[in-house]
Amino acid sequence: MFALHFPPLTHITHWPDFALKNTPFGMNKIFLIYMLAALFTILIFVLGNKKRMVPTGLQNLAEVSVEFIEDGIARETMDIEYKRYVPLLTALFFFIFFTNIFEIIPVFQMPASARIALPLFLALAVYLVWIGAGIASHGPLGFFKHMLIPPGVPVGLLPIIVPIEIVSNFLVRPFSHMVRLFANLLAGHILLVTFTVLSASLWTAKWYAVFLPLPVFGVIFFVAFEILVSFLQAYVFTLLTGVYINSAASHEH
């Protein structure tokens, strides 16, 4: 009989700790991905800030990457002095991208963003940044007036509009920012695991092995798709960060 054993969701998103030799400390695969993603992101800044007469290949790549964030995200989304936010947006984009791309790296094969802790932390950090930017630009009272009272709204409608703006700006916005990243990476990971398990189950001498090319094609397709998703979700998260900061700090509603 054909038996397909799909691992439970808790298994494909949870990795047990492994202790460091001769120490009381330990780590797991997710923590290791966080550290590597942070290291690679720092490397982008280090290489991008080096000044050489003849830039190396890695330095060229780093410089182009930083320029992409500055010109393609910060400048396009912000009416305010965008250059002060380029380091934040650059760090966000590359850290998220590196945590995502580990989905297709052998041995790791897990996007760290598929664990909700990371998207939650990043969304809350961005939430605090854009609130801080808004208060710095408008003052505490001016910021909340800017965010909650659209210009031109009749006073009689404010009891209806203000609660809607509170929910939209201060509750739905950070929640959707978090869920968009988490849900897309988790869904892609589950699909890739599904086709991988199916391919392994069909690797047999039985007659139904003739169907093996179908899930193998699915694995190849979803690996390529996850590369695209890793980039797009990092881009969307960073783009929305720029939009949120600008909406809070800009003097145009």
Side-chain angles (χ1 to χ4, degrees), residues 42-43 56 75 77 79 86 105 114 129 132 136 150 158 174 206 209 251:
I42 293 171
L43 191 60
T56 63
R75 181 177 294 175
T77 60
D79 300 325
V86 169
I105 304 299
V129 168
L158 290 182
K206 303 294 184 179
H251 287 274

Side-chain angles (χ1 to χ4, degrees), residues 47-114:
L47 292 174
N49 284 327
K50 286 187 176 181
K51 302 300 181 183
R52 295 179 179 175
M53 294 298 294
V54 182
T56 63
L58 286 176
Q59 184 181 347
N60 277 328
L61 178 62
E63 291 177 355
V64 169
S65 300
V66 173
E67 289 174 1
F68 164 72
I69 302 300
E70 181 175 346
D71 297 334
I73 296 181
R75 181 177 294 175
E76 294 296 323
T77 60
M78 294 182 168
D79 300 325
I80 56 178
E81 179 51 51
Y82 66 88
K83 288 191 175 181
R84 70 175 62 180
Y85 296 103
V86 169
L88 170 66
L89 299 178
T90 303
L92 271 177
F93 175 84
F94 284 103
F95 181 72
I96 294 171
F97 174 75
F98 288 133
T99 57
N100 292 348
I101 203 64
F102 274 97
E103 165 72 22
I104 65 164
I105 304 299
V107 180
F108 291 97
Q109 296 171 311
M110 173 69 191
S113 300

Side-chain angles (χ1 to χ4, degrees), residues 77-78 173 238-248:
T77 60
M78 294 182 168
R173 179 179 288 186
T238 309
L239 185 75
L240 288 175
T241 299
V243 170
Y244 294 161
I245 293 174
N246 185 70
S247 69

Side-chain angles (χ1 to χ4, degrees), residues 4-12 193-194 197:
L4 178 63
H5 301 286
F6 188 81
L9 184 61
T10 53
H11 177 73
I12 65 175
V193 170
T194 299
V197 170

